[in-house]
Amino acid sequence: MKYDIIIVGAGPAGLSAAIYSARGGLKTAVFEKGLVGGQITVTDEVENYPGFEESISGYDLTDKMKQQAERFGAELIEEEIKAIGLESLCKIVETQENKYRAKSIIFCTGAHPRRLNVPGEMQLTGHGVSYCATCDGALYRDKIVAVVGGGDSAIEEGLFLTRFAKKVIVIHRRDELRAQKIIQDRALKNPKMEFIWNTVIQEIRGENKVSELELCNRITSEITLLPVDGIFIYVGILPNNELLESRLELDTGGFVITDNNMHTNIPGIYAAGDIRHTVLRQVVTATSDGAVAAWSAEKWIIENYEALED
């Protein structure tokens, strides 16, 4: 099966790219092995995406994007990609079921949460250890939970947890938050939120579910135990770059390096959204990346049309 553009990943960047590509008359396929919409689908309220006076859920927002892309003719293919060949002008995408060809590929594979990698984390994941407050917050009604991290995600999700939890304790390795000031102000004024500074978690304990955390103060080296019913971890993200060939240029963190047109170092290959080396990872920047990538890919296809013909 042949396409003009194949988009790998159906998060906001991939769906935006699909909208622009399909609307431009290019035969477009979007591959997604998991949840259409990406990480934002588990966010209960998105209040900073332009065009919505009231907040909208991440699921509803990306569902609208999906419907828009399909209305313009983009095809959603729910198959897991096993291999990708970028070695020629005709790009190859292989799944367990089929082989696909495309003139250009846009990688929108996103990223995933970074783990603490402390004892008890893996064993108790799903039993008190979570990386998604929107998914699991309601399970902790009138309970005490910890949130690890000091960035936007940690503080926003901590605020969300106050809807359910009796107390939300934010544990941060530094002495000040990194979140945007407006989010910090909300958190610091919230009577349900407490903060433990200059502290790291050394162990997550519990028999069949989380019961306490072993903490270490980075200044005094004092070890303390904190009883909690659950812990939500927000300490960064890692790129989903398993499919990317070694010839693609990556930064030290494993994110794809592109120019301002989302073009990678390989002709006809683009990257957009959280997988890309960028200063900000938000829905609005992902959709912008996707639009630029699709426009750039269309221009590249037109310029190389004769060479790409079989």
Side-chain angles (χ1 to χ4, degrees):
M1 285 172 270
K2 297 181 180 179
Y3 293 90
D4 292 312
I5 292 180
I6 283 180
I7 299 163
V8 184
L15 294 173
S16 175
I19 290 168
Y20 274 78
S21 173
R23 186 173 181 270
L26 299 177
K27 188 175 182 182
T28 303
V30 185
F31 284 78
E32 177 56 64
K33 66 176 182 179
L35 185 65
V36 173
Q39 291 187 83
I40 195 63
T41 56
V42 300
T43 298
D44 185 58
E45 291 187 2
V46 178
E47 60 181 9
N48 58 355
Y49 191 81
F52 295 90
E53 184 178 356
E54 302 294 332
S55 62
I56 183 172
S57 74
Y59 175 85
D60 287 341
L61 178 60
T62 52
D63 187 58
K64 289 179 181 294
M65 294 180 187
K66 171 179 173 290
Q67 293 182 44
Q68 190 175 6
E70 290 180 328
R71 179 166 65 86
F72 287 125
E75 299 177 34
L76 179 63
I77 300 176
E78 298 181 15
E79 297 177 15
E80 183 175 357
I81 296 174
K82 299 297 183 181
I84 297 179
L86 309 179
E87 64 279 354
S88 66
L89 287 176
C90 183
K91 321 302 180 185
I92 307 296
V93 171
E94 293 187 34
T95 69
Q96 195 69 43
E97 299 86 356
N98 298 294
K99 180 181 289 188
Y100 302 86
R101 290 176 171 80
K103 298 174 180 177
S104 179
I105 294 178
I106 304 174
F107 286 106
C108 305
T109 50
H112 62 277
R114 182 189 298 274
R115 295 183 181 273
L116 292 176
N117 292 320
V118 298
E121 182 179 11
M122 292 294 291
Q123 297 90 323
L124 293 169
T125 294
H127 302 280
V129 175
S130 176
Y131 305 87
C132 176
T134 308
C135 306
D136 302 326
L139 301 174
Y140 296 90
R141 194 176 300 275
D142 299 323
K143 297 184 182 296
I144 298 173
V145 299
V147 171
V148 185
D152 287 351
S153 295
I155 306 309
E156 285 177 336
E157 297 302 87
L159 285 164
F160 173 78
L161 286 167
T162 61
R163 301 182 188 182
F164 308 100
K166 177 169 60 178
K167 183 189 295 185
V168 176
I169 304 170
V170 177
I171 302 169
H172 188 38
R173 63 184 292 112
R174 298 182 176 86
D175 59 0
E176 61 181 5
L177 301 174
R178 294 178 292 107
Q180 297 176 57
K181 188 177 185 303
I182 187 172
I183 302 171
Q184 288 191 41
D185 291 344
R186 291 176 187 171
L188 294 169
K189 292 175 182 177
N190 193 305
K192 283 189 172 185
M193 296 188 76
E194 296 182 7
F195 297 83
I196 298 178
W197 307 103
N198 297 310
T199 298
V200 295
I201 295 173
Q202 293 200 146
E203 184 177 355
I204 302 172
R205 298 179 179 176
E207 291 297 326
N208 299 313
K209 61 179 182 178
V210 172
S211 61
E212 65 181 14
L213 308 176
E214 181 180 302
L215 308 180
C216 178
N217 185 287
R218 299 177 67 235
I219 307 299
T220 66
S221 298
E222 180 185 7
I223 303 297
T224 57
L225 296 179
L226 178 67
V228 295
D229 299 294
I231 175 174
F232 292 81
I233 300 170
Y234 297 95
V235 292
I237 59 172
L238 296 172
N240 297 327
N241 60 10
E242 296 82 4
L243 285 173
L244 309 184
E245 287 194 348
S246 58
R247 290 191 296 116
L248 273 178
E249 186 179 2
L250 308 177
D251 66 12
T252 55
F255 294 90
V256 181
I257 296 175
T258 72
D259 61 17
N260 290 335
N261 295 328
M262 307 300 139
H263 211 160
T264 70
N265 60 301
I266 299 179
I269 304 300
Y270 300 82
D274 285 0
I275 188 60
R276 190 174 78 88
H277 174 87
T278 180
V279 297
L280 183 63
R281 291 183 173 87
Q282 295 282 296
V283 178
V284 67
T285 56
T287 55
S288 173
D289 281 2
V292 173
W295 176 84
S296 300
E298 179 180 4
K299 184 179 179 182
W300 185 85
I301 289 171
I302 291 172
E303 291 174 350
N304 293 273
Y305 184 81
E306 291 183 4
L308 290 167
E309 286 297 304
D310 290 337

